[in-house]
Amino acid sequence: MPPKDTDITGRSPKRRRPQAIRRLVIWYRRNAAVTSLVGTASAAGSVAGSMAGSVAGSVVSTAGNVAGAAGNVAGNVAGVAGSMAGNVAGVAGSVAGAASSVAGSMANSVLQPLVFDPLRRLQQGSNPDGELRIIDAERLWVAVDGMGGDHAPGPILEGCLRAVALLPVRVRFVDETAAVDQAVAALGLDEELAAAIGAGLIEVVASGPSVGMDEEATVVRRKRDASINLAMDLVKAGEATAAYSAGNSGAVMASAIFRLGRLKGIDRPAIGALFPTKDPNQQVLVLDVGANMDAKPAYLHQFALLGNIYSRDVLQVQQPRIGLLNIGEEECKGNELCLKTYPLLAADNRFVFAGNCEGRDVLSGDFDVVVCDGFTGNVLLKFLESVGSVLLDVLRAELPRGRRGKVGSAFLRSNLVRIKKRLDHAEHGGALLLGVNGVCVIGHGSSKALSVVSALRLAHSAASHGVMDDLHKLSNNTDAVVACD
């Protein structure tokens, strides 16, 4: 008997390819065969045309020469006719060859992308954006609270080093010297930090004991030299155009109010976060997302005024559509806060009030600004932050395993990366604290380098679009805010 690993002929049996791979190979061979056939037809057409032209020309020319021997006049006429017939036949042959060649090229252009583009895209990967040329004279100073955040100060400093290389900003990094020296040594950032300091892109500012993530917001009054307080002082003194902190949100807000002050006519500042929508080119500003747990109708009215200015100046929306987050579209729906806020927003002609916005409509793109109390907004923000990771986990679980799963994942890789970037809160970096007398960005407590870069990009955008100028115009208008409880 032959051994088990051989067939009757004594040869080892061929391993059967998985069904998906066999289908892919057959599909490719068929397309390749069609392309080859059309190419062959193109070549054959060109050769046939050339031969037809040559033969026809030779035959008719010979006939013309014979006729010319019979008589001068008849020969001349036949010669002219022969030349004309030869030219016509040659042109016909050339046209036939060109038509075949065009057909071959069209077949190649149709079939080749189907066969090769996905593989080429996988091999090349996503094309990185070209480096932006930064003019040093246009860089803006941003004060960064280096001790704010769950992972501070190392990842915060790392993000600042990336930011000064990618964005037209300079950073005044406020920190506790001992903690930063330890983080720099642990992450190996010595040379990079020294180079940035030498180039004037980063300036280190020493601070006192920082505010902990678990401390009360009022601690900023006692810790006067805390990093967050010094960062706000830099903005107030004009030594920085914006401040950024990923620390205790309540402490950041308290420090901004105590050090920078509120805008005239604004009772409570609001934290505004940018949410993605189904349109990749559009974002919706939601405020408040955590600064005021208990709000009054007048507060929401002020939030609408602040959001309208930011959406118009920074997001470049000509007429922002304002929505009131509610449980229904009808004016009579909602709790007492929503019922009293609705007429205030509807009566104000300084912005476009688009009515109530249900939870399902926040990301629809039908609204540019959505106002709500801080409790509801914070729940909405935290829920959205989980959607991206959950969605990707579901996709990974649903993709088939084995070779079929790897092939499918490879074709979907670029799409999954784009989905992750649109839903990842790290890509947005932070939220603006609107209503204080200065540009202030509050980052997520778990912020790392990517989040810091995104937050500094947001701070630069707000500082360079003249938002504060328009907010001051709003506060100087005595009729800007309706004082109503």
Side-chain angles (χ1 to χ4, degrees), residues 120-134:
R120 183 182 299 116
R121 184 167 60 248
L122 292 176
Q123 292 170 355
Q124 294 177 350
S126 57
N127 294 327
D129 296 335
E131 292 185 1
L132 179 65
R133 184 171 177 267
I134 300 175

Side-chain angles (χ1 to χ4, degrees), residues 106-138:
M106 291 178 64
N108 278 327
S109 64
V110 172
L111 295 177
Q112 291 299 330
L114 294 175
V115 178
F116 291 110
D117 271 6
L119 298 179
R120 183 182 299 116
R121 184 167 60 248
L122 292 176
Q123 292 170 355
Q124 294 177 350
S126 57
N127 294 327
D129 296 335
E131 292 185 1
L132 179 65
R133 184 171 177 267
I134 300 175
I135 301 176
D136 286 342
E138 298 179 354

Side-chain angles (χ1 to χ4, degrees), residues 32-105:
V34 174
T35 307
S36 177
L37 287 173
V38 176
T40 304
S42 172
S46 299
V47 173
S50 300
M51 291 180 64
S54 299
V55 171
S58 298
V59 170
V60 179
S61 288
T62 302
N65 291 333
V66 173
N72 292 332
V73 176
N76 291 334
V77 172
V80 171
S83 299
M84 293 177 63
N87 292 334
V88 171
V91 170
S94 299
V95 171
S100 299
S101 178
V102 170
S105 300

